[in-house]
Every structure is written in structure tokens, then in C-alpha cells.
């Protein structure tokens, strides 16, 4: 089984579990508090993932050491690329 | 290759991002997970919008993000709409 299939399988399992609780499809009649927590879960997980990504990017920006030489080299390459693309007609 | 510590603006922006995401995570977690277990007459509820907004607001934010990305792509495509032959 490929990784994609594994992920899709796991996601659909979680999705079915979430649907069961949120829409009470099997008539378990959970206490209202647990249903209140369950229904925003997909959006909540997305927001948490977004926060984690943002924090990781921020942390790596804050701790990445400056490299003066590489920075100058990169700036030069950016200029080169811009002029090359301008010659070929692309406008940004 | 010389190595210097991350300087001024980089450091500030990075830490700002980390702080902002921590704040957002804490507020959102309390809103979605903690509040349902708190009595409805507790004063903390006055700091949070009605529960529906905890799903609607991220939805709107995602839409705005998509709009911005689409607009940027549209602008760049429009600026280059005269198809030139590239050698």
C-alpha cells in the first residue's frame, strides 16, 4: 500500500469518527459538552497546524545565522535572473 | 563561510512570529476546547465571541488568503498576456 493510500485511509477513519460524533449517526447520544467540543475539530486542527507552521518558520528565521558572503552572492544572482527574464520579456 | 548570529530585524520578526502564533494557539484552544466545560455564567465567556465564529472566522481568513494568491497570479498573468516566443 502506498503512503498516499495509507494517509487517505487514516484520514477517512478519523473523518468517519468525527462525523459519527458530530451528526450522531449511530444515535449514541453523547453528552452535549463532548459534541460541542467535537464539531469544530477539523477547523481547529487546521488552525493548530497553521500556528505550528508559523511558529517553526518564525523560530528558524530568528535563529538562522547571517552569512554575509552568501547573501551578497545571492543578491548578485537575483539581479542576473531579473535582467535575464526582462530580456526574455517577462514583467513582474 | 563566516557565521554571525541572526541580527536585529530577522531576530525580531522571527520572535514576533513565534509569539503571535503562541497567542493565537492559546486563545483558539481556550475558545474551542476549554470553554464548553466552563459554566455559562462564568465571566471568562465575555472575552470570547459566540462559538459559531470559531469556525466562520478561520473560513473567512482562508478565503481571503486564496483571493490574495489568485489575485497575484492573475495580475502577473495579465501583465504578460502578449504571448512572446521564448527562444
Amino acid at each position: 500500500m502506498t503512503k498516499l493510500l495509507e494517509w487517505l485511509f487514516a484520514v477517512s477513519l478519523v473523518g468517519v469518527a468525527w462525523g459519527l460524533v458530530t451528526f450522531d449517526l449511530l444515535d449514541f447520544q453523547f453528552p452535549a459538552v463532548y459534541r460541542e467540543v467535537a464539531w469544530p475539530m477539523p477547523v481547529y486542527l487546521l488552525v493548530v497546524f497553521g500556528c505550528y507552521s508559523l511558529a517553526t518558520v518564525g523560530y528558524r528565521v530568528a535563529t538562522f545565522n547571517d552569512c554575509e558572503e552568501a547573501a551578497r552572492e545571492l543578491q548578485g544572482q537575483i539581479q542576473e535572473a531579473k535582467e535575464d527574464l526582462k530580456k526574455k520579456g517577462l514583467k513582474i | 563561510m563566516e557565521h554571525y548570529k541572526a541580527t536585529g530585524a530577522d531576530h525580531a520578526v522571527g520572535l514576533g512570529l513565534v509569539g503571535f502564533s503562541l497567542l493565537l494557539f492559546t486563545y483558539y484552544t481556550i475558545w474551542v476546547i476549554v470553554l464548553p466545560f466552563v459554566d455559562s455564567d462564568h465571566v471568562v465567556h465575555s472575552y470570547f465571541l459566540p462559538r459559531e465564529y470559531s469556525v466562520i472566522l478561520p473560513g473567512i481568513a482562508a478565503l481571503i488568503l486564496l483571493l490574495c494568491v489568485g489575485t497575484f497570479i492573475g495580475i502577473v498573468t495579465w501583465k504578460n498576456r502578449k504571448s512572446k516566443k521564448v527562444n
Side-chain angles (χ1 to χ4, degrees):
Chain A
M1 193 189 272
T2 66
K3 273 291 165 188
L4 175 65
L5 280 178
E6 275 179 27
W7 273 88
L8 283 176
F9 182 65
V11 167
S12 37
L13 270 181
V14 173
V16 166
W18 174 79
L20 276 178
V21 177
T22 305
F23 303 107
D24 215 8
L25 297 170
L26 289 181
D27 219 17
F28 283 131
Q29 282 168 349
F30 294 104
V33 206
Y34 296 110
R35 297 192 61 192
E36 268 296 295
V37 173
W39 74 259
M41 270 305 122
V43 179
Y44 175 76
L45 291 172
L46 271 171
V47 171
V48 167
F49 174 70
C51 284
Y52 169 74
S53 309
L54 201 63
T56 309
V57 169
Y59 178 73
R60 302 233 174 117
V61 166
T63 54
F64 194 81
N65 297 319
D66 284 349
C67 314
E68 290 280 305
E69 205 182 286
R72 270 180 269 138
E73 196 183 330
L74 185 62
Q75 294 285 49
Q77 287 177 342
I78 292 175
Q79 271 305 109
E80 258 184 74
K82 274 194 190 163
E83 283 156 27
D84 186 52
L85 285 172
K86 232 194 260 177
K87 257 187 266 157
K88 302 212 171 113
L90 181 69
K91 291 186 215 86
I92 289 238
Chain B
M1 204 193 308
E2 337 86 79
H3 288 279
Y4 304 87
K5 257 196 62 85
T7 50
D10 287 348
H11 202 61
V13 168
L15 290 180
L17 277 179
V18 173
F20 173 74
S21 57
L22 274 175
L23 269 172
L24 190 64
F25 172 75
T26 312
Y27 185 86
Y28 199 67
T29 302
I30 296 180
W31 197 4
V32 174
I33 297 192
V34 175
L35 279 192
F37 294 99
V38 170
D39 287 330
S40 48
D41 47 5
H42 196 287
V43 71
V44 75
H45 281 281
S46 57
Y47 292 104
F48 295 91
L49 288 167
R51 221 167 147 66
E52 298 71 50
Y53 290 100
S54 71
V55 171
I56 294 175
L57 288 180
I60 295 181
L63 271 170
I64 294 179
L65 185 70
L66 274 171
L67 260 169
C68 291
V69 172
T71 310
F72 175 75
I73 294 179
I75 290 180
V76 175
T77 311
W78 187 72
K79 269 198 186 160
N80 297 280
R81 64 192 184 284
K82 280 177 282 183
S83 50
K84 287 191 173 158
K85 282 218 173 125
V86 179
N87 294 326

